[in-house]
């Protein structure tokens, strides 16, 4: 019997390049025709319908040919309670065999279209599909880890308790999805994704929402849960939102902080205080140590009475024929060698890479660092980024008095959501455009040192991003969204307790060096972040950003702007945090530094379920 190959979906681009159709485009062609094996009976228990629907959904879909997609599907089944464990992914040999088999199928042409459905492969065989291991912890082999117990270590009563525990965990996961599909999908693509590290994979962020969207639409199309179709449609909407926002998180993460925010950090210095390890050498030099004096004296005395190293080695050798060379002997030998070289008239050897003296006249010797030499040639300074560069702030504002008229105010670390984005006026987006009031001779300095004129310049050159507080934090001890905090580098009146108001208790909770202006409330107040136009185009409304936010304040003209050597050195022992000068009046404008996380607009924390240690204890 002659064996034939199945044609794979391919598409030809405008440039004539043939590429393979993406898996989701291939699935979409006949998706509306996919049905369950049997019509679902609404009177059947929900759990049984979910198991049957998941099984029918996988039939006819080549998940085993895409390892990442198969892993996503298994993660989803584990999350909603269809399985209780995962096997390790396929080995490299199996993956290579799959790729070779697929390549052989693509290269062999089909004779006609009548035999497209036949899928026979000569001289190649696909490895067995990596199945997911559905098991309980008590059935896991002890070879998978030294901490896991074997069946023989548990009594029949303990095994029964664990079976009930795993059954309860499975039912809890299923109820979480069946009772509220929308919230379950939110948690899966946010809290669960981040907890499992899947949020940092571009493939998982792209393919995950598409895969779950196929599954949820499969449930709706076959009316698996007619009593929950409204909630399932809301869950489908979340997958569509995740399909847009999750891949875009990488774009936002690379776009911020932008040039203006980085430039402000160079001018005003970093506002975050890093942890500095204690230097034990300095402590001992200063006499600041907990060691008693008597102990130190005893140690010093022991060191003076200790025999020299050569004597110890000689005693250990046990023979007089071995000569132990001390450092003094080595130094004397080096001096004798140099004196012998001077007496004999020997010339010093050429340096590393230097051309020998006896080269012919027409020979070209290459030395270390020679521009014509391939090895040792001077490297381009741009490779190591050693050339001094200008502050990126000047690329946006041009020559400006901004560093002389403004300084830092309140410093807040929190998670905020983008409410709106206001681009700069179209007529003033040109970089470094000088205002008309600043032109001419004689009035330049007076205008440039005017804080109001500088703020008008900022509004004309930069986009404004309005951010509102994220109103849910510290859901559990390892939550991504934490309570807003006012850092020690803050200089301005601010509320530190979410139960306080700006009028009540503001003075008690306000940071030092700020007596002017109303207190900033990080739990309720909006802030306006300044970014350049290119960065504003990459941001999405509704997305959450966890970062350090620094308020711009007008500087007190009576206090001189003194340069601080420790401005950009966060490890300086006596570093003074805060920008040069003293704040006189806060403004509505902020900049950012130290972006910690970028979250989708639907981000929901995942409350962890009790573990076996929580239920049975560490010794159970």
């Amino acid at each position: 019997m002659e064996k034939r190959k199945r044609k794979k979906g391919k598409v030809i681009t405008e440039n004539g390049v043939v590429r393979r159709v993406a898996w989701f485009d291939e699935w979409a062609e006949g998706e509306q025709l996919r049905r369950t094996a049997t019509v679902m009976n609404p009177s059947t228990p929900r759990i049984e319908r979910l198991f049957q629907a998941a099984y029918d959904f996988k039939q006819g879909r080549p998940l085993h040919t895409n390892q990442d997609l198969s892993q996503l599907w298994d993660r989803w089944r584990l999350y909603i309670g269809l399985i209780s464990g995962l096997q390790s992914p396929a080995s490299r040999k199996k993956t290579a065999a799959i790729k070779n088999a697929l390549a052989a199928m693509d290269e062999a042409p089909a004779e006609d279209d009548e035999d497209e459905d036949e899928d026979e492969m000569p001289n190649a065989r696909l490895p067995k599909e990596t199945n997911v291991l559905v098991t309980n912890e008590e059935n896991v082999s002890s070879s998978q880890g030294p901490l896991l117990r074997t069946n023989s270590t548990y009594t029949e009563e303990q095994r029964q308790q664990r079976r009930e525990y795993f059954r309860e965990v499975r039912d809890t996961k299923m109820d979480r999805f069946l009772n509220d599909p929308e919230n379950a999908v939110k948690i899966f693509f946010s809290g669960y994704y981040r907890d499992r590290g899947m949020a940092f994979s571009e493939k998982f962020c792209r393919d995950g929402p598409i895969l779950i969207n196929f599954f949820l639409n499969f449930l709706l199309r076959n009316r698996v849960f007619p009593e929950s179709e409204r909630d399932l449609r809301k869950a489908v909407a979340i997958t569509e939102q995740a399909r847009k926002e999750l891949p875009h998180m990488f774009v936002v993460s690379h776009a911020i902080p932008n040039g203006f925010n980085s430039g402000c950090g160079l001018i005003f210095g970093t506002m975050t205080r890093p942890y500095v390890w204690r230097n034990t050498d300095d402590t001992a030099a200063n006499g600041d140590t907990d060691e008693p004096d008597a102990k130190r004296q005893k140690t010093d005395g022991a060191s003076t009475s200790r025999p020299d190293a050569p004597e110890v080695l000689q005693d250990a050798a046990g023979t007089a024929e071995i000569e132990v060379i001390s450092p003094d002997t080595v130094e004397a030998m080096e001096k004798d060698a140099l004196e012998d070289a001077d007496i004999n008239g020997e010339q010093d050897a050429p340096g590393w890479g230097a051309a020998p003296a006896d080269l012919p006249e027409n020979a070209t010797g290459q030395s270390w660092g020679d521009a014509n030499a391939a090895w040792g040639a001077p490297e381009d300074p741009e490779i190591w980024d050693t050339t001094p560069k200008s502050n990126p702030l000047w690329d946006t504002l041009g020559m400006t008095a901004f560093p002389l008229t403004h300084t830092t105010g309140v410093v807040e670390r929190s998670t905020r959501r983008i409410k709106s984005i206001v681009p700069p006026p179209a007529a003033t987006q040109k970089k470094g455009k000088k205002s008309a009031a600043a032109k001419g001779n004689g009035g330049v300095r007076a205008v440039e040192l005017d804080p109001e004129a500088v703020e008008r310049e900022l509004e004309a050159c930069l986009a404004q991003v309005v951010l509102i507080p994220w109103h849910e934090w510290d859901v559990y001890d390892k939550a991504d969204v934490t309570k807003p905090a006012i850092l020690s580098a803050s200089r301005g009146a601010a509320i530190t307790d979410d139960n306080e108001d700006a009028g009540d208790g503001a003075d008690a909770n306000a940071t030092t060096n700020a007596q002017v202006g109303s207190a900033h409330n990080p739990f309720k107040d909006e802030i306006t972040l300044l970014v350049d136009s290119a960065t504003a185009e990459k941001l999405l409304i509704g997305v959450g950003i966890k970062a350090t936010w620094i308020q711009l304040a007008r500087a007190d003209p009576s206090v001189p702007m003194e340069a601080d050597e420790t401005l950009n050195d966060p490890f300086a022992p006596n570093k003074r945090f805060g920008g040069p000068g003293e704040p006189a009046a806060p403004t509505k404008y902020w900049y950012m530094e130290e972006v910690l996380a970028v979250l989708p607009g639907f981000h929901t924390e995942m409350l962890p379920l009790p573990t076996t240690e929580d239920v049975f204890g560490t010794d159970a």
Side-chain angles (χ1 to χ4, degrees):
M1 175 180 174
E2 188 176 359
K3 299 180 180 180
R4 310 179 191 279
K5 312 299 179 297
R6 181 180 59 185
K7 289 183 177 180
K8 294 293 182 180
K10 296 181 179 179
V11 64
I12 301 178
T13 61
E14 297 178 355
N15 299 330
V17 179
V18 179
R19 66 176 180 85
R20 196 168 184 174
V21 178
W23 67 268
F24 43 86
D25 292 332
E26 188 175 353
W27 284 20
E29 291 180 0
E31 185 63 23
Q32 297 299 325
L33 303 178
R34 292 186 180 272
R35 302 291 176 180
T36 55
T38 59
V39 179
M40 290 293 177
N41 186 0
S43 60
T44 306
R46 296 188 308 173
I47 294 179
E48 294 184 14
R49 283 182 279 166
L50 182 60
F51 270 105
Q52 184 63 40
Y55 177 81
D56 294 340
F57 174 78
K58 188 179 179 181
Q59 297 306 309
R61 302 179 191 268
L63 290 175
H64 61 281
T65 61
N66 190 329
Q67 183 174 333
D68 294 333
L69 199 61
S70 179
Q71 185 179 357
L72 267 172
W73 175 244
D74 293 340
R75 285 288 184 182
W76 170 252
R77 291 196 296 165
L78 178 66
Y79 172 73
I80 63 177
L82 292 175
I83 59 176
S84 58
L86 294 174
Q87 278 187 339
S88 59
S91 62
R92 293 184 178 179
K93 292 183 179 179
K94 290 184 178 181
T95 304
I98 293 175
K99 292 182 178 179
N100 294 335
L102 294 176
M105 294 172 59
D106 293 339
E107 293 176 0
E111 294 185 357
D112 49 38
D113 296 337
E114 296 179 358
D115 298 328
E116 289 184 1
D117 295 335
E118 298 185 13
D119 190 10
E120 299 178 1
M121 301 163 14
N123 303 327
R125 185 178 63 179
L126 286 173
K128 294 182 180 180
E129 179 182 352
T130 302
N131 297 323
V132 176
L133 180 62
V134 183
T135 181
N136 294 334
E137 182 181 347
E138 61 192 22
N139 297 326
V140 179
S141 174
S142 59
S143 61
Q144 294 184 7
L147 299 180
L148 296 179
R149 298 173 178 262
T150 60
N151 292 339
S152 60
T153 60
Y154 296 114
T155 63
E156 183 61 29
E157 182 181 358
Q158 289 176 335
R159 284 196 289 268
Q160 181 61 28
Q161 290 177 354
R162 288 177 174 267
R163 279 193 291 266
E164 294 177 357
Y165 162 74
F166 289 119
R167 189 180 301 111
E168 182 180 353
V169 170
R170 183 200 65 183
D171 295 342
T172 301
K173 292 180 177 180
M174 287 190 175
D175 292 340
R176 178 176 57 187
F177 170 70
L178 296 175
N179 294 337
D180 193 351
E182 179 186 10
N183 189 63
V185 173
K186 286 181 179 180
I187 295 175
F188 180 73
F189 288 122
S190 52
Y192 185 87
Y193 249 49
R194 293 185 64 84
D195 184 71
R196 300 300 187 272
M198 301 166 66
F200 309 104
S201 170
E202 294 189 24
K203 286 186 177 180
F204 287 160
C205 290
R206 182 200 65 182
D207 295 344
I210 302 175
L211 176 63
I212 306 307
N213 183 276
F214 274 112
F215 177 69
L216 296 178
N217 281 316
F218 182 81
L219 299 180
L220 286 171
R221 185 168 57 253
N222 292 277
R223 305 207 64 188
V224 179
F225 303 105
E227 68 278 8
S228 304
E229 289 187 354
R230 182 177 180 181
D231 296 332
L232 287 174
R233 289 191 177 91
K234 293 180 180 179
V236 171
I238 296 300
T239 61
E240 295 173 353
Q241 183 180 356
R243 185 175 181 178
K244 175 184 178 182
E245 293 186 359
L246 284 183
H248 202 78
M249 296 299 97
F250 298 91
V251 178
V252 176
S253 299
H254 287 82
I256 55 177
N258 64 326
F260 172 77
N261 293 267
S262 301
C264 290
L266 294 175
I267 293 175
F268 302 125
T270 177
M271 298 295 118
T272 55
R273 186 186 300 272
Y275 182 82
V276 181
W277 291 96
R278 185 179 181 184
N279 192 339
T280 56
D281 296 338
D282 297 342
T283 302
N286 298 330
D288 186 11
T289 178
D290 297 334
E291 186 180 7
D293 295 339
K295 185 175 181 181
R296 289 203 301 269
Q297 293 176 0
K298 183 177 180 181
T299 304
D300 297 340
S303 62
T304 56
S305 61
R306 185 176 58 188
D308 295 338
E311 297 178 1
V312 175
L313 294 175
Q314 184 67 59
D315 295 340
T319 175
E321 297 180 358
I322 298 179
E323 180 183 1
V324 179
I325 301 177
S326 63
D328 296 336
T329 306
V330 174
E331 184 177 357
M333 294 172 64
E334 292 177 353
K335 291 182 179 180
D336 294 341
L338 293 176
E339 292 177 358
D340 294 341
D342 294 339
I343 293 173
N344 298 331
E346 295 179 358
Q347 297 179 353
D348 294 338
W352 177 263
D358 55 351
L359 280 178
E361 294 183 359
N362 57 352
T364 58
Q366 293 181 347
S367 61
W368 181 265
D370 190 353
N372 297 324
W375 177 264
E379 298 175 345
D380 187 359
E382 295 183 358
I383 298 178
W384 297 102
D385 197 22
T386 57
T387 56
K389 295 184 178 181
S390 62
N391 192 315
L393 188 69
W394 316 137
D395 297 336
T396 304
L397 301 180
M399 297 302 296
T400 177
F402 169 68
L404 303 177
T405 58
H406 289 75
T407 185
T408 60
V410 176
V411 180
E412 168 193 332
R413 176 177 293 164
S414 64
T415 303
R416 289 182 168 270
R417 186 191 303 271
I418 299 178
K419 178 184 178 181
S420 61
I421 303 175
V422 181
T428 57
Q429 291 187 18
K430 185 178 180 181
K431 294 183 179 180
K433 183 175 181 179
K434 194 173 182 180
S435 60
K439 294 181 179 179
N441 299 325
V444 177
R445 179 175 177 80
V447 173
E448 288 186 347
L449 294 182
D450 183 8
E452 295 184 1
V454 173
E455 292 172 10
R456 288 195 298 268
E457 182 182 5
L458 295 177
E459 294 177 356
C461 297
L462 300 171
Q464 302 179 32
V465 181
V466 180
L467 300 113
I468 59 177
W470 198 286
H471 292 295
E472 189 179 36
W473 57 78
D474 290 339
V475 176
Y476 71 109
D477 55 345
K478 296 182 180 179
D480 293 306
V481 181
T482 56
K483 182 179 179 180
I486 302 298
L487 303 187
S488 58
S490 179
R491 301 187 299 177
I495 303 298
T496 58
D497 189 357
D498 55 332
N499 295 324
E500 296 287 348
D501 295 329
D504 300 333
D507 295 335
N509 294 316
T511 55
T512 58
N513 300 331
Q515 304 295 335
V516 181
S518 59
H520 169 68
N521 191 339
F523 309 98
K524 299 180 180 179
D525 293 347
E526 300 178 354
I527 65 174
T528 301
L529 178 70
L530 296 177
V531 298
D532 54 53
S533 302
T535 302
E537 294 176 355
K538 299 177 182 178
L539 301 179
L540 287 178
I541 295 177
V543 167
I545 302 175
K546 182 178 182 180
T548 301
W549 315 98
I550 301 98
Q551 184 185 39
L552 294 175
R554 295 182 181 180
D556 187 354
S558 61
V559 179
M561 292 281 190
E562 298 180 356
D564 187 0
E565 296 180 355
T566 65
L567 187 66
N568 293 308
D569 184 8
F571 298 97
N574 298 322
K575 177 176 176 57
R576 173 185 174 275
F577 283 86
E582 293 293 334
T587 68
K588 68 174 184 178
Y589 302 115
W590 296 64
Y591 71 93
M592 67 188 307
E593 72 174 40
E594 193 185 26
V595 178
L596 301 177
V598 179
L599 307 175
F602 56 86
H603 178 80
T604 307
E605 302 287 355
M606 181 186 67
L607 294 177
L609 297 175
T611 62
T612 53
E613 293 183 359
D614 298 334
V615 178
F616 304 106
T618 55
D619 298 332

